[in-house]
Amino acid sequence: MSAEARIGAGGLAALFAIGAIGGLVGDMCHVQSGTTVYLEDPLPYVWDSQLWFPIMVGGGTAALGWIGGLLGARASAAEREEPLRAAATMIASVLALYALTAIVRGEPGSVGIVLCWAVAALICARFARDRADWICAALAMLFGVGTEIVLSAAGVFEYADDIEQILGVAAWLPALYLAYGVVASRLGALLTTR
Amino acid sequence: MSAEARIGAGGLAALFAIGAIGGLVGDMCHVQSGTTVYLEDPLPYVWDSQLWFPIMVGGGTAALGWIGGLLGARASAAEREEPLRAAATMIASVLALYALTAIVRGEPGSVGIVLCWAVAALICARFARDRADWICAALAMLFGVGTEIVLSAAGVFEYADDIEQILGVAAWLPALYLAYGVVASRLGALLTTR
Amino acid sequence: MSAEARIGAGGLAALFAIGAIGGLVGDMCHVQSGTTVYLEDPLPYVWDSQLWFPIMVGGGTAALGWIGGLLGARASAAEREEPLRAAATMIASVLALYALTAIVRGEPGSVGIVLCWAVAALICARFARDRADWICAALAMLFGVGTEIVLSAAGVFEYADDIEQILGVAAWLPALYLAYGVVASRLGALLTTR
């Protein structure tokens, strides 16, 4: 009988921290480029973000990593051998895509959409290994984009007028969440002990 | 005696479709960024492109894939094991480069040229495996750039004035065709049955 | 007793040439985008650079490659099998990052910093193999950034006012030198004969 596979409390805390800090760095890019604007600020700002944002991304990262491990995402031999290199590569890839979504503001909408979706496809094709990774990508996209649609409709924040939008959020947003979901699942796999 | 290596009609149709759709997506980036303008429109537009453009790119992709297979391009073990992942990675790479050539409009010419040629070199170095891939890259560059030089000289379309040009086409254009040729050959190798 | 590991005069000359030419290409991007301006030109210009710049980068590349080999950087089996592919990939990566640092001028400082540091992390995580590579990255950063801080303070050249700066140099500069240092060490490993 195999030992139970699980992520410990330390692993979940690490996932929360990675997501929260990564979210703050990426959101700073969006706010400073004018891609997004907070319209209501009931909570204190952390860096350029309302406090709920890093908590949401951190919590989402921990949840996705936990779900990925639960659904069978397991670190490959190469990932187990050099976990820090694997984690750094995946985190840097998503942060680069995050910054790219801010850079394409001011470009024609279609160009930004093609570039961001193509880079997201490269990230997914590079890192996704298990069926669980794709499920986490779909979950991240559904809940992430869904939450932003609701918050945008509620007037909590908005995307700039000059950005190509679908239901109030940027047309490249699903691509960013897909890549993020795959990486959260893989980070969960890296932290799952057996 | 080994069985004959060939791409079937279905494979050629797939290559045509990939090239035609990819060409439409990339050309949309060029047209909407003002990188290129159609000066004559004798044929109907498909999306933002004159009908001849997707037919040319689709036909070129099928031809290059067929030539690559004929000249001995064969899928590696890794490519045969996960053909969809390999194909998605290669197609997304070329589309990302295509979008990049549109993004660099407005930047100083030299910067766009260095970035696009460097990314094209990364794509070629990553995916080219057989001598046939390099032959296809050279063919794609010669015929692709040559055709665009003729059509530009004939006043069918033109590159924007503010783009660094060689004989009427953008200085980064050969790099885009080189990367495209390598990928067309590799896609042909993936679809070649033995 | 193992044979002595060393880079021959030809290898050092190759490293110098790669560094000098790469430095000229990258500096052209910085000068033409207005990222940097030479304020004093006691020496003749080569392309867009004062003569001391390519000599400094070429000499630095040879020195770092020599130090990397001395400290034990050795080509992996894959690198030895296809040294040209490995070298082209690494050189193109650093040139792409160099061009990217010029492209991000005009973007909000934070966005450019996140994108350049993320891409530099990807380059380091992809290519660094031996402890010597990380030592060379640190040396390149210390001496490269240090030299630029001194020359900027001395009024020899300057970064544009609209670029986020630390001690007179761009905030993304350490990232560029880190990636450069890793690649110089790996190129040294490729050229070290045993």
Side-chain angles (χ1 to χ4, degrees):
Chain A
M1 197 185 119
S2 72
E4 191 188 359
R6 56 188 290 276
I7 305 182
L12 290 175
L15 287 172
F16 181 89
I18 291 168
I21 295 171
L24 286 174
V25 169
D27 202 38
M28 174 186 68
C29 294
H30 278 177
V31 169
Q32 294 197 5
S33 63
T35 302
T36 54
V37 183
Y38 286 99
L39 300 176
E40 294 186 7
D41 43 9
L43 299 176
Y45 279 97
V46 185
W47 222 335
D48 287 326
S49 307
Q50 276 283 289
L51 180 58
W52 57 265
F53 186 77
I55 292 175
M56 193 182 81
V57 181
T61 307
L64 288 167
W66 182 78
I67 292 170
L70 204 71
L71 296 179
R74 291 294 173 270
S76 68
E79 287 170 337
R80 269 201 306 276
E81 202 176 316
E82 301 193 298
L84 274 181
R85 186 190 299 261
T89 302
M90 293 190 286
I91 294 167
S93 298
V94 173
L95 283 179
L97 175 56
Y98 216 142
L100 210 55
T101 60
I103 292 256
V104 297
R105 192 187 170 205
E107 305 290 338
S110 58
V111 180
I113 293 168
V114 172
L115 186 59
C116 292
W117 276 92
V119 171
L122 288 174
I123 293 174
C124 291
R126 173 71 186 80
F127 298 119
R129 308 194 69 84
D130 300 309
R131 202 171 52 113
D133 302 329
W134 294 107
I135 296 173
C136 284
L139 288 174
M141 189 181 74
L142 281 174
F143 283 89
V145 175
T147 304
E148 292 208 20
I149 288 174
V150 169
L151 292 176
S152 168
V156 175
F157 77 99
E158 66 178 7
Y159 281 87
D161 281 347
D162 58 359
I163 290 173
E164 193 104 9
Q165 299 185 9
I166 299 170
L167 302 175
V169 301
W172 41 250
L173 193 67
L176 179 58
Y177 274 107
L178 282 174
Y180 157 75
V182 164
V183 165
S185 175
R186 294 316 298 164
L187 293 176
L190 272 176
L191 290 164
T192 296
T193 53
R194 295 191 281 188
Chain B
M1 196 183 122
S2 72
E4 192 188 358
R6 56 188 290 275
I7 305 181
L12 290 174
L15 287 173
F16 182 89
I18 291 168
I21 295 171
L24 286 173
V25 169
D27 202 36
M28 174 185 69
C29 294
H30 279 177
V31 169
Q32 294 197 7
S33 63
T35 303
T36 54
V37 183
Y38 286 100
L39 301 176
E40 293 186 8
D41 42 10
L43 298 176
Y45 278 97
V46 185
W47 222 335
D48 286 328
S49 307
Q50 276 283 289
L51 181 57
W52 58 265
F53 185 78
I55 293 176
M56 193 181 83
V57 181
T61 308
L64 288 167
W66 182 77
I67 292 170
L70 203 71
L71 295 180
R74 291 293 174 271
S76 68
E79 287 170 337
R80 270 200 306 275
E81 202 176 317
E82 301 193 298
L84 275 181
R85 187 191 298 262
T89 303
M90 293 190 286
I91 295 167
S93 298
V94 173
L95 283 179
L97 174 56
Y98 216 141
L100 210 56
T101 60
I103 291 257
V104 297
R105 192 189 169 204
E107 305 291 338
S110 57
V111 180
I113 292 167
V114 172
L115 185 59
C116 292
W117 276 93
V119 172
L122 289 174
I123 293 175
C124 291
R126 172 72 186 77
F127 297 120
R129 307 194 70 83
D130 300 308
R131 201 172 52 114
D133 302 329
W134 294 106
I135 296 173
C136 284
L139 288 173
M141 190 180 74
L142 281 174
F143 282 89
V145 175
T147 304
E148 292 208 22
I149 287 173
V150 169
L151 293 175
S152 167
V156 174
F157 77 99
E158 65 177 8
Y159 281 86
D161 281 347
D162 57 0
I163 291 172
E164 193 105 9
Q165 298 184 11
I166 300 170
L167 302 175
V169 301
W172 41 250
L173 194 67
L176 180 57
Y177 275 106
L178 281 174
Y180 157 77
V182 164
V183 166
S185 175
R186 293 318 298 163
L187 293 175
L190 273 176
L191 290 163
T192 297
T193 54
R194 293 189 283 185
Chain C
M1 195 184 122
S2 71
E4 191 189 357
R6 56 188 291 275
I7 306 182
L12 289 175
L15 287 172
F16 182 89
I18 291 169
I21 295 171
L24 286 174
V25 169
D27 202 37
M28 173 185 68
C29 295
H30 278 177
V31 169
Q32 294 197 6
S33 63
T35 301
T36 54
V37 183
Y38 285 99
L39 300 176
E40 294 187 8
D41 41 12
L43 298 176
Y45 279 97
V46 184
W47 221 336
D48 286 328
S49 308
Q50 276 284 289
L51 180 59
W52 57 264
F53 186 78
I55 292 175
M56 192 181 83
V57 182
T61 308
L64 288 167
W66 182 78
I67 292 170
L70 204 72
L71 296 180
R74 291 293 174 271
S76 67
E79 287 171 337
R80 269 199 307 274
E81 202 176 317
E82 301 193 297
L84 275 181
R85 187 190 299 262
T89 302
M90 293 190 287
I91 295 167
S93 297
V94 173
L95 283 179
L97 175 57
Y98 216 143
L100 210 56
T101 60
I103 291 257
V104 298
R105 191 186 170 207
E107 305 291 337
S110 58
V111 180
I113 292 167
V114 172
L115 185 59
C116 292
W117 276 92
V119 171
L122 289 175
I123 293 174
C124 292
R126 172 71 186 79
F127 298 119
R129 307 193 70 84
D130 299 309
R131 202 172 52 113
D133 302 331
W134 295 106
I135 296 172
C136 284
L139 288 174
M141 189 181 75
L142 281 174
F143 283 89
V145 175
T147 304
E148 292 208 21
I149 288 173
V150 169
L151 292 176
S152 168
V156 175
F157 77 99
E158 67 178 5
Y159 281 86
D161 280 348
D162 58 359
I163 290 172
E164 193 104 10
Q165 299 184 11
I166 299 170
L167 301 176
V169 301
W172 40 251
L173 194 67
L176 179 58
Y177 273 107
L178 282 173
Y180 157 76
V182 164
V183 165
S185 174
R186 294 315 299 162
L187 293 175
L190 273 176
L191 290 163
T192 296
T193 54
R194 294 190 282 187

